[in-house]
Amino acid sequence: MRRLVNDTLIIAERNLIRLPRKPELLLAFTVQPIMFLLLFRYVFGGAIKTGGISYVDFLVPGIIVQNIAFGGFVTALGLNEDVHKGLIDRFRSLPMARPAVLAGRTFSDIVTNLLSMTVLTITGLIIGFSFRHTIPLDVIAGIGLLVLFGYAFSWVFALVGLLVSSPESANSFGFIAVFPLTFISSAFVSPQFMPAALKAFANVNPFTIIVDAMRHLWLGNPYPAGNYVWGSVVWSIVIIAVFAPLAVRRYRRAAGV
């Protein structure tokens, strides 16, 4: 177990060290989310109904959840490159714990997700978002929920990266799979204003559940809790339970172990 932990941390450190050397990846965690936030806040915000709360308060949790879900793209791209450039074969020849490659990849996503979350939250506070109706414990619980949800989607993208034939395919496939889920949810528009078919889908969409849970935790009384918080935890655990074994199995096949 100690060896696994040490090797996982080494792989995670390797993945994080690469970020400053690839500015385009760093921009994906900083500049791009800010652009999305400002675009929706100032271009679309005045035309979108929210059901009684200010659009900036409605928007910030949704934007952060969307960005956290897409944080696993780095894992998908990195794993795909490692497999097709032979680096996985090199890892296999080293005296290291076999699960450390996937564990290190997904663990490094937690760090990048926290960076992205911090950047978006600070930007949100600057443009008018507020925690005034909640308590510090709920804010911390929201951060923990985001970390868990982001970690779950890291396993989704790990599987995507191991299945497709190129980094470009990983990018396209992941975008096509996740992007519609984020928009047919309560992230940007309340489902009550959607057509009946989209509303029915949005109400059971895991993104709606996690976004509404975040709004309850970060906005407090103006947004009711329901079962959103526990539902988000359950959804995250289910996603990990389904996609982590699939990713591990695919990795073993790709690595020949």
Side-chain angles (χ1 to χ4, degrees):
M1 182 58 66
R2 181 182 300 175
R3 179 180 176 184
L4 173 61
V5 172
N6 288 337
D7 291 347
T8 297
L9 293 176
I10 290 171
I11 295 295
E13 182 183 7
R14 166 189 175 261
N15 298 331
L16 294 172
I17 288 175
R18 295 176 61 194
L19 289 179
R21 301 172 185 173
K22 290 190 173 183
E24 66 275 11
L25 293 179
L26 198 56
L27 291 176
F29 298 113
T30 53
V31 177
Q32 181 175 310
I34 293 175
M35 290 175 60
F36 263 98
L37 178 57
L38 296 179
L39 175 67
F40 276 88
R41 169 68 175 93
Y42 292 108
V43 177
F44 302 122
I48 297 177
K49 300 178 182 179
T50 60
I53 64 175
S54 67
Y55 189 66
V56 66
D57 286 341
F58 184 88
L59 173 66
V60 169
I63 276 284
I64 293 179
V65 169
Q66 182 200 48
N67 202 62
I68 289 294
F70 278 104
F73 264 121
V74 175
T75 286
L77 299 176
L79 278 174
N80 190 274
E81 287 183 353
D82 289 348
V83 169
H84 291 96
K85 290 183 177 180
L87 190 59
I88 297 298
D89 294 331
R90 176 69 182 274
F91 286 150
R92 187 175 57 180
S93 68
L94 296 175
M96 62 182 295
R98 300 299 182 213
V101 175
L102 285 179
R105 277 284 179 188
T106 54
F107 185 75
S108 65
D109 285 344
I110 294 177
V111 178
T112 53
N113 282 339
L114 285 171
L115 171 62
S116 176
M117 193 189 315
T118 301
V119 169
L120 279 173
T121 303
I122 292 174
T123 306
L125 291 171
I126 292 173
I127 63 175
F129 178 74
S130 174
F131 295 109
R132 61 184 175 274
H133 295 298
T134 189
I135 59 175
L137 187 61
D138 282 351
V139 174
I140 295 172
I143 294 172
L145 194 59
L146 286 171
V147 169
L148 177 62
F149 189 73
Y151 183 72
F153 264 83
S154 292
W155 286 105
V156 175
F157 281 105
L159 178 61
V160 170
L162 292 167
L163 285 174
V164 299
S165 59
S166 67
E168 292 77 15
S169 299
N171 189 44
S172 298
F173 186 84
F175 188 83
I176 291 172
V178 177
F179 197 74
L181 289 175
T182 62
F183 274 87
I184 309 177
S185 73
S186 65
F188 306 107
V189 180
S190 176
Q192 63 179 314
F193 301 114
M194 296 181 180
L198 293 183
K199 178 181 178 179
F201 178 82
N203 285 333
V204 298
N205 186 343
F207 279 92
T208 293
I209 296 172
I210 179 70
V211 169
D212 286 348
M214 288 302 305
R215 288 189 180 123
H216 167 69
L217 292 171
W218 281 12
L219 299 180
N221 292 330
Y223 218 88
N227 294 316
Y228 298 132
V229 176
W230 288 112
S232 300
V233 174
V234 170
W235 262 111
S236 299
I237 293 174
V238 168
I239 291 171
I240 294 172
V242 171
F243 285 92
L246 292 175
V248 169
R249 183 182 302 176
R250 182 64 186 180
Y251 171 75
R252 287 176 175 171
R253 184 181 301 175
V257 296

